[in-house]
Structure formats: C-alpha cells, structure tokens
Amino acid sequence: MDSRAPAARATGRLSTLDRFLPVWIGLAMAAGLLLGRMVPGLQGVLEAVEIDGVSLPIALGLLLMMYPVLAKVRYDRLDTVTRDHRLLIPSLVLNWLVGPAVMFALAWLFLPDLPEYRTGLIIVGLARCIAMVIIWNDLACGDREAAAVLVALNSVFQVFMFGVLGWFYLEVLPGWLGLPQSGIDVSAWDIAKSVLIFLGIPLVAGYLTRTLGERARGRAWYEERFLPRIGPVALYGLLFTIVLLFALQGDAITSQPLDVARIANPLLLYFALMWGLSMLLGWLVRLRYERATTLAFTAAGNNFELAIAVAIGVFGAASGQALAGVVGPLIEVPVLVGLVYVSLWVRRFFPGGTERPTPVKAADTA
C-alpha cells in the first residue's frame, strides 16, 4: 500500500492557512521583531490596559486562539470513547502521567542552566493537545470521533488539574529530587487562575455555541457552514499573539539566539518519544490502526495556546517562559506532519491497517 497517497490527498484538502502554518508562524516572529525595533515604547502601551496582569490585546489574542478549537468538540459523544477502556486508560496515562514526566525530565536534561525556558517547557508538557490534533489525526486517517472526544476530556481535565500538576512539577518534585531551585515564586492558584480564564471561558463559549447552534440550525449546518467560518480565527489569534510576544522579546531573542535553538532540542525529542511510545502501546493492546494513531497524536501534541496563556498570565509577556511556549508550535507543526507519513507507513502492522482508509472530507479539516 502506498502510504503517501492518503496523506497527499488529505494535505491537499487543508486550507492554505493550515498547509503553510510554519511559514506564517515564522513571518509573525519576524514581524514581531521588526515591530519591537520600530516601536520602542510598545511594552508601555500594552501594559496600559491589563486584565489580571495580562495586557488586554494579548488577552484577546489568547482567547481567540482557544474558542474555535473548543467550538469544534462534539461534547455529546463522550460515551463513545469512555466505554473503550483499551483507548481511554492508555490515553489518560500517557497524557497526564507520562507526558508531563517526560517533558520535566527533558527540560532539566537539556536546560539545567536556563530556568525560565525550563519552566516554560514544563508548562508546555502539562498543556495537553486540544487544537491541531484533529488535523494531524485526519491526515493520518485516524478515528476523528475518538479524537474529538479525547479533546473534550483533555479540555475538562485541564480546567481542574492543570494548576495542581503545575505546582507539583515546578515546586514539589524538584525539591523531592534535590534539584537546584530556580527561585521562581509560583503557586497552584496562579496557574489555575490563568487556566480558568483562558481555557474555562472559551470552553464554556464553545460548548454553548455548539449546543445553541445545533439546536437552532442542525449539526450539518453547524459543522459544514459555521465551523469553517470561525476556524481561521484560532490561527489569526495565534499569529497576533506571536507578533506581540516577539515584539516584547526582541532584545532577548536577538542577543541570545542559541538559547532559542536549545529550546527546540527537547521539543523534538519529546514529540518523537511520545508518538513512538503511544503507537507501541496501541499495538500492544491490539487497538485498530484508526484508534492507535488517534492515541499517538493526542498524546504527542501539546496545547501551546494554553501554555502561552498560562506563561503570560503567571510570568508576564516578556518572560522566558512565554518565549518557550511561542517556540513550541514552530517545532510541532513540521515534526507532526512528518509523523503523519510515518503513521501511514506503520498502519500495515495494526488490525484494520490494510483496509482502504475513509476519505477525509474538506469540511472536516476546515
């Protein structure tokens, strides 16, 4: 079976925005650096109006990133996955036990002398993927319904547990292991408050939008007409936020470019380890290919939108923690696109892997 054909067909159905996402992120970074040079007093302007310590323009960009993603989730289908213990239990273990622990270990291994970037990566490891995973899953011919349900579960779980896990990995665990303290004052409430604002608000808005939209016009209209219209808003919010962050981070980035490159190394290794471990676990528990690949991408991807929001809310827009979150999607996109092709190659080893994949509809990936 030629694994390139399904990916090529699916990639061709992606919008121009999605297909060239790394390019847009790179251009947004460059635009931010230029803006910071051209407007020296930009930080003072952004700090003039704040919401709980976060600049209003940046806060709006963060909320716009999250809302369209959460409006896509089918909240009424939670039971379709919760009954499949072979998928649900490995997903919970990988997302909430293995993933954060792996990122914690890699952050300390690669960035022992850069505490701000290290903390930013640990926050990234806690932010489980709820955004681009639907696209990676579609390209790899995974189970879209299962992916949507796992996204919903991760969204709800993050609201309640992100702050607790952040406090554990940033404060408690380093002390237990005898690691040098970074001197960063962070509390579970600080992190939880940012999660409640930047995930809780769009989560409620997304749920109400789907519920009321489907009730008024039906699911077909909602998914085929409404979602494609609001889908690009998430990317616009991400690019807008990146421009502002890089405008504020310009001096740090241009004076220490190697530090930025060092952030990429643990991210690259993290994606490869989490995807490979997840696919192996799916094979061991005899999941069909569609659900095994869904397990792999939901475990390997991270919610950089939330990580950026938490880093800004707790440490500030000009912090190294925020920069670590911003570098994340630039690395994630090309790596996970490459893993799509690897997934399609290994599908032959899974139950159901030799069957002809279901074509991805254009509306599904919009």
Side-chain angles (χ1 to χ4, degrees), residues 22-355:
V23 176
W24 309 139
I25 292 175
L27 291 175
M29 291 177 174
L33 293 176
L34 289 175
L35 182 63
R37 293 281 186 178
M38 295 171 60
V39 186
L42 180 63
Q43 183 168 356
V45 174
L46 293 177
E47 292 177 351
V49 181
E50 294 185 343
I51 298 178
D52 194 35
V54 179
S55 166
L56 179 59
I58 294 178
L60 291 176
L62 296 172
L63 292 172
L64 288 175
M65 284 192 297
M66 302 299 296
Y67 165 68
V69 175
L70 294 165
K72 293 181 179 181
V73 176
R74 292 183 177 180
Y75 297 95
D76 61 337
R77 299 301 301 273
L78 289 175
D79 62 331
T80 62
V81 170
T82 55
R83 290 196 303 264
D84 187 353
H85 293 169
R86 288 188 303 164
L87 176 64
L88 179 62
I89 294 175
S91 177
L92 292 175
V93 170
L94 288 166
N95 274 286
W96 297 105
L97 293 179
V98 178
V102 169
M103 188 67 89
F104 175 87
L106 292 175
W108 275 97
L109 179 64
F110 283 86
L111 303 171
D113 56 330
L114 297 172
E116 289 193 357
Y117 297 154
R118 183 178 67 235
T119 299
L121 285 183
I122 293 172
I123 291 174
V124 167
L126 298 176
R128 310 315 302 163
C129 191
I130 66 171
M132 294 292 290
V133 66
I134 299 295
I135 292 180
W136 314 137
N137 184 71
D138 281 347
L139 293 177
C141 301
D143 186 328
R144 194 172 197 270
E145 203 65 56
V149 173
L150 292 179
V151 162
L153 290 174
N154 280 340
S155 302
V156 174
F157 201 86
Q158 282 180 105
V159 172
F160 297 101
M161 292 302 299
F162 194 103
V164 176
L165 291 174
W167 169 73
F168 175 76
Y169 278 102
L170 294 177
E171 291 292 307
V172 177
L173 188 57
W176 286 356
L177 299 177
L179 297 172
Q181 297 298 305
S182 60
I184 296 172
D185 184 18
V186 61
S187 69
W189 169 241
D190 290 334
I191 298 175
K193 183 169 57 174
S194 294
V195 173
L196 287 172
I197 294 173
F198 295 111
L199 179 59
I201 292 176
L203 177 61
V204 172
Y207 174 79
L208 292 177
T209 300
R210 176 173 278 279
T211 301
L212 298 177
E214 289 188 358
R215 185 178 301 169
R217 303 291 296 272
R219 173 161 290 184
W221 172 87
Y222 183 85
E223 297 195 343
E224 296 174 10
R225 302 289 297 276
F226 180 74
L227 287 182
R229 291 177 182 175
I230 67 169
V233 173
L235 179 56
Y236 298 149
L238 174 63
L239 296 179
F240 173 74
T241 304
I242 288 175
V243 169
L244 294 183
L245 290 180
F246 270 71
L248 298 176
Q249 300 266 12
D251 290 339
I253 295 170
T254 55
S255 62
Q256 295 177 309
L258 291 180
D259 288 350
V260 178
R262 287 181 61 185
I263 297 173
N265 293 327
L267 286 169
L268 287 168
L269 189 55
Y270 172 85
F271 294 134
L273 285 173
M274 289 301 297
W275 181 90
L277 179 62
S278 302
M279 287 296 280
L280 176 61
L281 184 57
W283 180 78
L284 290 174
V285 300
R286 301 297 293 168
L287 286 176
R288 289 177 62 85
Y289 168 78
E290 291 81 2
R291 292 210 161 182
T293 197
T294 297
L295 175 67
F297 281 102
T298 52
N302 286 89
N303 182 2
F304 287 102
E305 296 93 337
L306 179 61
I308 293 170
V310 171
I312 292 174
V314 177
F315 302 103
S319 65
Q321 291 88 343
L323 178 60
V326 170
V327 173
L330 186 65
I331 306 301
E332 178 187 26
V333 173
V335 171
L336 292 190
V337 167
L339 289 175
V340 166
Y341 287 89
V342 180
S343 297
L344 292 168
W345 182 82
V346 303
R347 66 181 298 159
R348 69 195 71 184
F349 303 108
F350 286 82
T354 57
E355 298 175 5

